[in-house]
Amino acid sequence: MASKRRAAGELDALILALLERGDRPLTGLMLTGMLREQGEAVALSLVFRALCKLVERGVVHKLLTSRGYVLTRSMNEIYLSCTVCGAVGRVVSEEPFRRIETAAERSGFRVTRPIVEMVGRCPRCRSD
């Protein structure tokens, strides 16, 4: 698929807009499909390249369990991933991050991008 030349940051802005509207983590493939539905001729490799840059900048987090991407709202977010419905909740708390970084430093490890993800069942799926 031929991709049109875009101004710097244009693809990033399109991806961020889709992530803002999403109620679940979105994969690179999902984002590419959504962009194509909007009439954007975009290659999957360009979407992944843009996502990598957004993750490096701290604007987006890649969740490990869902392999999807979400907007970063706080650097102290704990992601709560439901294994039943796929919903992802968020809790902001600085204390766990301080403890993790302290423990890592004691081991000689320097944390550069902390990501904490909890896996379980959301309140709706627990009641079903």
Side-chain angles (χ1 to χ4, degrees):
M1 166 170 287
S3 298
K4 74 172 190 170
R5 288 296 262 171
R6 288 184 177 77
E10 184 180 345
L11 182 56
D12 294 0
L14 291 169
I15 290 170
L16 290 172
L18 289 174
L19 290 173
E20 182 68 42
R21 289 191 309 225
D23 61 344
R24 300 220 181 310
L26 300 174
T27 66
L29 191 57
M30 292 165 77
L31 287 162
T32 301
M34 294 166 81
L35 288 166
R36 289 177 181 167
E37 286 174 7
Q38 292 178 1
E40 296 291 332
V42 62
L44 179 61
S45 61
L46 293 178
V47 171
F48 276 112
R49 198 171 307 146
L51 286 166
C52 285
K53 286 190 306 183
L54 292 168
V55 168
E56 286 175 11
R57 288 183 11 220
V59 178
V60 168
H61 266 100
K62 180 178 183 182
L63 300 181
L64 303 176
T65 55
S66 67
R67 296 186 181 160
Y69 297 85
V70 294
L71 288 178
T72 303
R73 294 200 171 94
S74 165
M75 292 311 291
N76 296 314
E77 284 182 308
I78 298 170
Y79 298 96
L80 309 170
S81 298
C82 180
T83 57
V84 177
C85 70
V88 175
R90 301 167 192 239
V91 176
V92 176
S93 179
E94 291 180 27
E95 184 59 28
F97 287 92
R98 277 197 291 266
R99 289 181 179 201
I100 290 168
E101 288 179 11
T102 299
E105 286 174 8
R106 274 192 236 124
S107 300
F109 187 83
R110 183 171 179 258
V111 176
T112 56
R113 188 174 54 217
I115 300 171
V116 177
E117 217 175 321
M118 307 294 282
V119 178
R121 290 185 175 203
C122 70
R124 191 179 81 231
C125 292
R126 283 184 59 199
S127 66
D128 288 348

